[in-house]
Amino acid sequence: MSFADLMADLDTTVFAELSDDPAAVWSRQLVFSTTVAALFDRVEQGGSVGGMAMIDFADVVRISVAEAELRRPEQPPQSGDLFIIGGVQAVVHGSPWRDTQQNGRDWLCPVSR
């Protein structure tokens, strides 16, 4: 087992302990359904409107990049995916991004509940 594999396994284990649901359902209609550790979060997003700096907040589902790659290799989260976390359904809208504050280790998926 390589060092990268060991780090991915450690990251997945720690994330599962911190998550709202260690066995949340992540699915893509007519493509796949799997379980991942996931949690609801709210993050700041910067931007500008008419030249004015704006700060907005987004509701997101946070999942581990390492676990996502383990469960669905080369199929990162995308708009339209569905998460069921602790019985609460959330649909991904927009493009998920990797959290730069976590060195890209987590996917942040903007959702509507």
Side-chain angles (χ1 to χ4, degrees):
M1 185 177 264
S2 72
F3 181 73
D5 290 339
L6 289 172
M7 290 304 294
D9 188 46
L10 176 63
D11 189 54
T12 300
T13 301
V14 170
F15 196 92
E17 289 298 316
L18 299 174
S19 68
D20 292 330
D21 186 345
V25 174
W26 169 29
S27 63
R28 187 168 301 153
Q29 190 172 9
L30 304 175
V31 179
F32 69 82
S33 182
T34 189
T35 59
V36 293
L39 61 99
F40 287 112
D41 200 355
R42 178 166 243 188
V43 297
E44 286 184 17
Q45 290 182 306
S48 66
V49 174
M52 291 185 64
M54 304 291 288
I55 295 177
D56 194 14
F57 291 91
D59 290 325
V60 298
V61 167
R62 182 183 292 270
I63 64 173
S64 163
V65 169
E67 185 175 17
E69 184 64 23
L70 177 70
R71 302 280 189 237
R72 298 304 306 172
E74 299 185 28
Q75 290 191 7
Q78 65 183 30
S79 185
D81 285 1
L82 173 71
F83 287 95
I84 301 174
I85 302 170
V88 177
Q89 182 173 306
V91 178
V92 178
H93 61 82
S95 297
W97 67 94
R98 290 173 77 155
D99 186 359
T100 56
Q101 293 181 352
Q102 296 295 325
N103 296 323
R105 292 191 321 252
D106 298 347
W107 278 110
L108 299 177
C109 307
V111 296
S112 298
R113 295 190 215 191

mmCIF file of all heavy atoms in Angstrom, residues 20-38:
data_model
loop_
_atom_site.group_PDB
_atom_site.id
_atom_site.type_symbol
_atom_site.label_atom_id
_atom_site.label_comp_id
_atom_site.label_asym_id
_atom_site.label_seq_id
_atom_site.Cartn_x
_atom_site.Cartn_y
_atom_site.Cartn_z
ATOM 1 N N ASP A 20 -22.126 14.017 9.567
ATOM 2 C CA ASP A 20 -23.502 13.940 10.069
ATOM 3 C C ASP A 20 -24.065 12.542 9.873
ATOM 4 O O ASP A 20 -24.932 12.109 10.618
ATOM 5 C CB ASP A 20 -24.405 14.941 9.326
ATOM 6 C CG ASP A 20 -24.068 16.381 9.651
ATOM 7 O OD1 ASP A 20 -23.598 16.647 10.773
ATOM 8 O OD2 ASP A 20 -24.271 17.239 8.777
ATOM 9 N N ASP A 21 -23.611 11.853 8.839
ATOM 10 C CA ASP A 21 -24.104 10.513 8.514
ATOM 11 C C ASP A 21 -22.970 9.744 7.845
ATOM 12 O O ASP A 21 -22.575 10.064 6.722
ATOM 13 C CB ASP A 21 -25.304 10.615 7.572
ATOM 14 C CG ASP A 21 -25.976 9.275 7.295
ATOM 15 O OD1 ASP A 21 -25.370 8.223 7.584
ATOM 16 O OD2 ASP A 21 -27.100 9.288 6.780
ATOM 17 N N PRO A 22 -22.408 8.723 8.529
ATOM 18 C CA PRO A 22 -21.292 7.978 7.939
ATOM 19 C C PRO A 22 -21.708 7.082 6.780
ATOM 20 O O PRO A 22 -20.862 6.557 6.067
ATOM 21 C CB PRO A 22 -20.750 7.152 9.108
ATOM 22 C CG PRO A 22 -21.906 7.013 10.038
ATOM 23 C CD PRO A 22 -22.728 8.252 9.872
ATOM 24 N N ALA A 23 -23.022 6.915 6.578
ATOM 25 C CA ALA A 23 -23.502 6.071 5.475
ATOM 26 C C ALA A 23 -24.592 6.801 4.691
ATOM 27 O O ALA A 23 -25.655 6.252 4.406
ATOM 28 C CB ALA A 23 -24.017 4.744 6.013
ATOM 29 N N ALA A 24 -24.310 8.054 4.338
ATOM 30 C CA ALA A 24 -25.259 8.830 3.531
ATOM 31 C C ALA A 24 -25.321 8.229 2.125
ATOM 32 O O ALA A 24 -24.342 7.677 1.632
ATOM 33 C CB ALA A 24 -24.816 10.284 3.450
ATOM 34 N N VAL A 25 -26.464 8.353 1.504
ATOM 35 C CA VAL A 25 -26.627 7.854 0.137
ATOM 36 C C VAL A 25 -26.233 8.963 -0.834
ATOM 37 O O VAL A 25 -26.673 10.105 -0.698
ATOM 38 C CB VAL A 25 -28.089 7.418 -0.129
ATOM 39 C CG1 VAL A 25 -28.278 7.047 -1.597
ATOM 40 C CG2 VAL A 25 -28.473 6.272 0.782
ATOM 41 N N TRP A 26 -25.388 8.616 -1.790
ATOM 42 C CA TRP A 26 -25.019 9.523 -2.877
ATOM 43 C C TRP A 26 -25.425 8.809 -4.156
ATOM 44 O O TRP A 26 -24.988 7.683 -4.407
ATOM 45 C CB TRP A 26 -23.523 9.803 -2.849
ATOM 46 C CG TRP A 26 -22.954 10.495 -4.040
ATOM 47 C CD1 TRP A 26 -23.589 11.379 -4.874
ATOM 48 C CD2 TRP A 26 -21.622 10.393 -4.547
ATOM 49 N NE1 TRP A 26 -22.734 11.827 -5.852
ATOM 50 C CE2 TRP A 26 -21.511 11.238 -5.671
ATOM 51 C CE3 TRP A 26 -20.509 9.673 -4.154
ATOM 52 C CZ2 TRP A 26 -20.334 11.365 -6.405
ATOM 53 C CZ3 TRP A 26 -19.334 9.808 -4.876
ATOM 54 C CH2 TRP A 26 -19.254 10.651 -5.991
ATOM 55 N N SER A 27 -26.283 9.433 -4.962
ATOM 56 C CA SER A 27 -26.725 8.755 -6.174
ATOM 57 C C SER A 27 -26.800 9.706 -7.359
ATOM 58 O O SER A 27 -26.932 10.912 -7.202
ATOM 59 C CB SER A 27 -28.086 8.089 -5.955
ATOM 60 O OG SER A 27 -29.076 9.053 -5.679
ATOM 61 N N ARG A 28 -26.704 9.109 -8.526
ATOM 62 C CA ARG A 28 -26.885 9.801 -9.801
ATOM 63 C C ARG A 28 -27.898 8.981 -10.573
ATOM 64 O O ARG A 28 -27.683 7.783 -10.810
ATOM 65 C CB ARG A 28 -25.555 9.889 -10.548
ATOM 66 C CG ARG A 28 -25.617 10.731 -11.799
ATOM 67 C CD ARG A 28 -24.215 11.020 -12.345
ATOM 68 N NE ARG A 28 -23.413 11.725 -11.357
ATOM 69 C CZ ARG A 28 -22.080 11.661 -11.308
ATOM 70 N NH1 ARG A 28 -21.417 10.935 -12.181
ATOM 71 N NH2 ARG A 28 -21.427 12.309 -10.369
ATOM 72 N N GLN A 29 -29.014 9.601 -10.933
ATOM 73 C CA GLN A 29 -30.126 8.886 -11.547
ATOM 74 C C GLN A 29 -29.685 8.044 -12.741
ATOM 75 O O GLN A 29 -29.004 8.519 -13.641
ATOM 76 C CB GLN A 29 -31.202 9.873 -11.983
ATOM 77 C CG GLN A 29 -32.480 9.204 -12.406
ATOM 78 C CD GLN A 29 -33.592 10.209 -12.641
ATOM 79 O OE1 GLN A 29 -33.386 11.403 -12.643
ATOM 80 N NE2 GLN A 29 -34.776 9.703 -12.858
ATOM 81 N N LEU A 30 -30.060 6.779 -12.700
ATOM 82 C CA LEU A 30 -29.796 5.790 -13.749
ATOM 83 C C LEU A 30 -28.312 5.500 -13.967
ATOM 84 O O LEU A 30 -27.944 4.881 -14.962
ATOM 85 C CB LEU A 30 -30.439 6.200 -15.083
ATOM 86 C CG LEU A 30 -31.944 6.455 -15.049
ATOM 87 C CD1 LEU A 30 -32.420 6.971 -16.399
ATOM 88 C CD2 LEU A 30 -32.702 5.205 -14.646
ATOM 89 N N VAL A 31 -27.444 5.948 -13.030
ATOM 90 C CA VAL A 31 -26.009 5.700 -13.190
ATOM 91 C C VAL A 31 -25.458 4.911 -12.009
ATOM 92 O O VAL A 31 -24.842 3.860 -12.198
ATOM 93 C CB VAL A 31 -25.227 7.023 -13.366
ATOM 94 C CG1 VAL A 31 -23.729 6.761 -13.509
ATOM 95 C CG2 VAL A 31 -25.742 7.804 -14.563
ATOM 96 N N PHE A 32 -25.642 5.406 -10.774
ATOM 97 C CA PHE A 32 -25.115 4.701 -9.607
ATOM 98 C C PHE A 32 -25.813 5.160 -8.336
ATOM 99 O O PHE A 32 -26.479 6.186 -8.296
ATOM 100 C CB PHE A 32 -23.596 4.882 -9.453
ATOM 101 C CG PHE A 32 -23.174 6.279 -9.069
ATOM 102 C CD1 PHE A 32 -23.214 6.709 -7.751
ATOM 103 C CD2 PHE A 32 -22.723 7.176 -10.025
ATOM 104 C CE1 PHE A 32 -22.825 7.987 -7.403
ATOM 105 C CE2 PHE A 32 -22.327 8.449 -9.680
ATOM 106 C CZ PHE A 32 -22.381 8.860 -8.362
ATOM 107 N N SER A 33 -25.629 4.367 -7.289
ATOM 108 C CA SER A 33 -26.029 4.707 -5.932
ATOM 109 C C SER A 33 -25.014 4.061 -5.007
ATOM 110 O O SER A 33 -24.721 2.872 -5.150
ATOM 111 C CB SER A 33 -27.439 4.191 -5.632
ATOM 112 O OG SER A 33 -27.830 4.575 -4.338
ATOM 113 N N THR A 34 -24.460 4.845 -4.082
ATOM 114 C CA THR A 34 -23.453 4.328 -3.167
ATOM 115 C C THR A 34 -23.593 5.051 -1.840
ATOM 116 O O THR A 34 -24.410 5.952 -1.707
ATOM 117 C CB THR A 34 -22.034 4.505 -3.769
ATOM 118 O OG1 THR A 34 -21.093 3.812 -2.946
ATOM 119 C CG2 THR A 34 -21.647 5.966 -3.877
ATOM 120 N N THR A 35 -22.822 4.650 -0.859
ATOM 121 C CA THR A 35 -22.828 5.337 0.427
ATOM 122 C C THR A 35 -21.488 6.014 0.659
ATOM 123 O O THR A 35 -20.437 5.499 0.251
ATOM 124 C CB THR A 35 -23.126 4.372 1.595
ATOM 125 O OG1 THR A 35 -22.146 3.341 1.610
ATOM 126 C CG2 THR A 35 -24.502 3.773 1.468
ATOM 127 N N VAL A 36 -21.548 7.181 1.300
ATOM 128 C CA VAL A 36 -20.358 7.944 1.670
ATOM 129 C C VAL A 36 -20.633 8.635 2.998
ATOM 130 O O VAL A 36 -21.781 8.861 3.359
ATOM 131 C CB VAL A 36 -19.978 9.021 0.617
ATOM 132 C CG1 VAL A 36 -19.519 8.407 -0.681
ATOM 133 C CG2 VAL A 36 -21.124 9.993 0.391
ATOM 134 N N ALA A 37 -19.580 8.979 3.700
ATOM 135 C CA ALA A 37 -19.721 9.835 4.877
ATOM 136 C C ALA A 37 -19.937 11.254 4.367
ATOM 137 O O ALA A 37 -19.239 11.706 3.464
ATOM 138 C CB ALA A 37 -18.469 9.761 5.735
ATOM 139 N N ALA A 38 -20.940 11.942 4.911
ATOM 140 C CA ALA A 38 -21.265 13.283 4.418
ATOM 141 C C ALA A 38 -21.769 14.155 5.557
ATOM 142 O O ALA A 38 -22.285 13.654 6.549
ATOM 143 C CB ALA A 38 -22.330 13.191 3.327
#
